[in-house]
Amino acid sequence: MTIVDNQHIMIAENYKNYSLVDDCPVRNVLDRVGDKWSILIISILGECGTLRFNQLNHAIGNISQKMLTVTLKTLEADGLISRKIYPQIPPKVEYTLTLLGESLLPAIESLTHWAKENMPAILANRANYKTATVS
């Protein structure tokens, strides 16, 4: 057996471990936070601290109340945010990042920095690709 054969076997064994989404931590996490709103909500809570539902809704701007509710429930289920309900009328609910959510902020900040820096090149590549595929 050659070195190349051994490398192919090692690669195949490593990928077998992640063939299912539930078994792959990266795919699993990206599936949950890679939607349109989760990273934005985590970033806003990281920057602003504890916010009420309407404050989050206004900070985001163009999200429906239903989508915000669904996204907040998903983030809460994953332990990235916590929700505190105050027993008063009208109901007061506040959302804040947990320690787990805070630990995600550096990765989000790195991705944000990368995106801002590389967006001009990405847009140019998209335009070039569109032109090349139309021709």
Side-chain angles (χ1 to χ4, degrees):
M1 190 174 287
T2 68
I3 292 174
V4 173
D5 291 335
N6 283 336
Q7 288 175 338
H8 286 291
I9 291 169
M10 287 173 46
I11 290 170
E13 287 174 0
N14 285 335
Y15 283 116
K16 248 193 292 187
N17 295 335
Y18 300 122
S19 61
L20 300 173
V21 173
D22 292 339
D23 294 336
C24 178
V26 174
R27 287 172 59 189
N28 194 301
V29 169
L30 287 177
D31 183 49
R32 294 301 287 249
V33 300
D35 62 31
K36 188 174 181 179
W37 304 110
S38 293
I39 288 179
L40 182 58
I41 290 169
I42 293 167
S43 296
I44 290 170
L45 289 174
E47 190 174 313
C48 300
T50 301
L51 293 174
R52 293 176 69 175
F53 183 89
N54 283 333
Q55 291 173 312
L56 263 172
N57 199 3
H58 291 311
I60 296 169
N62 58 346
I63 186 173
S64 70
Q65 287 190 354
K66 179 180 179 177
M67 183 54 63
L68 180 55
T69 300
V70 168
T71 306
L72 289 169
K73 285 182 180 184
T74 300
L75 293 172
E76 185 181 9
D78 284 347
L80 298 173
I81 65 169
S82 65
R83 183 177 100 160
K84 184 172 183 180
I85 303 169
Y86 295 90
Q88 64 185 50
I89 297 177
K92 178 181 174 183
V93 180
E94 292 181 337
Y95 297 91
T96 189
L97 287 180
T98 62
L99 291 176
L100 186 61
E102 288 176 3
S103 73
L104 186 55
L105 288 172
I108 291 173
E109 290 166 0
S110 292
L111 178 61
T112 301
H113 175 76
W114 183 91
K116 286 178 182 177
E117 210 162 275
N118 291 288
M119 200 62 208
I122 291 169
L123 292 173
N125 288 330
R126 287 179 187 170
N128 291 340
Y129 180 82
K130 187 175 180 180
T131 303
T133 57
V134 171
S135 302

